[in-house]
Amino acid sequence: MVATQIAEKYVDLSHGRTRYFEAGTGHPTILLHGVGYTAGGDSFAMSLAPLASKLRVIAPDALGWGTGDRVDIDYSFELLVDWVRELQDALGLKSSHIVGHSMGGWLASLFAYESPERVDKLVLVASGGTATRTLASMTQFSPPPAERIRADFEARMNAPGMDMKKIVDERVEVAAKPENVAAYQRIMNNMNNPATRLHYNTLRRLPMIKAPTLVLWGSNDQTNALELGQKTAELVPNSKLVVLDGIGHMVPNEAPDQFTRALLDFLD
């Protein structure tokens, strides 16, 4: 069997360039990653090749993350959600499956509410947005040292089809640039603002989601407790809740095989 190769690509959008990883030829499926200074499309590294056996997977670095261009305006939810629409447009996608983990799930929920015709199926993985509480980890931020970045990526070094050494080296380079640190802090300040969290809370929006939805959660999630996943599944019509026993918040990294299997069972 020929190993699946993950292509690293860039697309030009209104703000500049966005990097994304792509593989497969099936139904287009956009994977939106969570918060984390070293997060990016490669957060799904261990699942991209297996998912590509059935789907066309597209895993971008969110606006303000990774090696893509930054912006000099506020990283509002309006901007971040519209960035997903613009990405679809640039890739020639009228619609796609949308998978969002943590912050990516928050963006995915807002996106499905605002643009239901653009979402074929929705997967919310330990998604944010249902709770209005602020998180100290967002405002008390300092960039990780190079050795911490390399240590954090060790578990993903054997991700099939991806040059993880190159990705880690890029992450170290990104972390060393003060302008990138400043941009990330602006994102966190806006996202953790109590008024922002209240206005963009998803509770009133979830009942309006029209796409068939999988809610995927870890039973030991300490960031977004399982009760939030249960509430999400309760509010979203035509949804299914799958709980991964013994798994915490970082589902794609802690349980890549279970994460992949759940997605393929639901999306394929």
Side-chain angles (χ1 to χ4, degrees):
M1 180 181 295
V2 178
T4 300
Q5 290 301 306
I6 311 299
E8 181 181 3
K9 301 180 178 181
Y10 284 86
V11 60
D12 290 322
L13 304 179
S14 58
H15 76 284
R17 298 200 311 165
T18 282
R19 182 179 68 168
Y20 65 101
F21 298 92
E22 180 176 6
T25 58
H27 196 102
T29 303
I30 296 176
L31 307 174
L32 302 175
H33 65 80
V35 161
Y37 189 72
T38 58
D42 50 74
S43 296
F44 300 100
M46 289 184 282
S47 295
L48 291 181
L51 289 173
S53 66
K54 299 290 185 180
L55 304 165
R56 176 189 173 191
V57 287
I58 300 161
D61 294 336
L63 179 61
W65 270 266
T67 61
D69 294 327
R70 270 54 174 178
V71 297
D72 292 327
I73 58 178
D74 287 340
Y75 287 87
S76 64
F77 274 106
E78 297 100 314
L79 181 65
L80 294 172
V81 173
D82 193 59
W83 164 80
V84 182
R85 279 187 289 266
E86 189 179 3
L87 178 66
Q88 282 184 328
D89 293 343
L91 298 181
L93 304 176
K94 292 183 178 179
S95 65
S96 66
H97 298 324
I98 300 289
V99 178
H101 170 242
S102 194
M103 174 202 73
W106 196 344
L107 298 181
S109 299
L110 297 173
F111 184 81
Y113 167 77
E114 294 179 10
S115 301
E117 74 285 356
R118 288 176 174 259
V119 183
D120 299 321
K121 288 185 179 181
L122 177 67
V123 182
L124 301 178
V125 187
S127 59
T130 55
T132 58
R133 84 281 190 256
T134 58
L135 297 173
S137 59
M138 288 187 173
T139 52
Q140 299 173 7
F141 165 77
S142 59
E147 58 270 20
R148 173 64 183 275
I149 295 173
R150 295 187 187 281
D152 286 347
F153 273 80
E154 282 183 0
R156 283 177 269 172
M157 286 298 186
N158 294 321
M162 300 188 73
D163 185 349
M164 294 305 295
K165 182 182 183 306
K166 174 178 179 292
I167 290 171
V168 174
D169 289 341
E170 288 172 344
R171 288 290 185 232
V172 171
E173 183 179 349
V174 167
K177 295 181 177 179
E179 62 270 27
N180 291 341
V181 177
Y184 181 78
Q185 189 62 75
R186 285 164 55 204
I187 298 172
M188 294 299 96
N189 289 344
N190 179 72
M191 199 168 290
N192 206 41
N193 183 302
T196 301
R197 296 182 76 84
L198 178 62
H199 183 74
Y200 286 98
N201 183 273
T202 58
L203 290 179
R204 71 174 176 84
R205 295 170 168 90
L206 293 176
M208 305 300 176
I209 289 177
K210 294 180 169 46
T213 301
L214 171 66
V215 179
L216 184 61
W217 230 267
S219 65
N220 292 350
D221 194 328
Q222 300 300 308
T223 301
N224 292 330
L226 178 57
E227 300 88 81
L228 297 179
Q230 294 166 332
K231 185 66 174 178
T232 298
E234 175 186 325
L235 290 174
V236 178
N238 195 22
S239 67
K240 174 186 178 182
L241 174 65
V242 172
V243 178
L244 303 182
D245 188 45
I247 304 301
H249 185 64
M250 303 302 292
V251 175
N253 301 140
E254 292 181 51
D257 292 341
Q258 292 169 276
F259 170 76
T260 299
R261 187 161 54 250
L263 261 61
L264 289 177
D265 287 347
F266 181 69
L267 298 177
D268 180 36

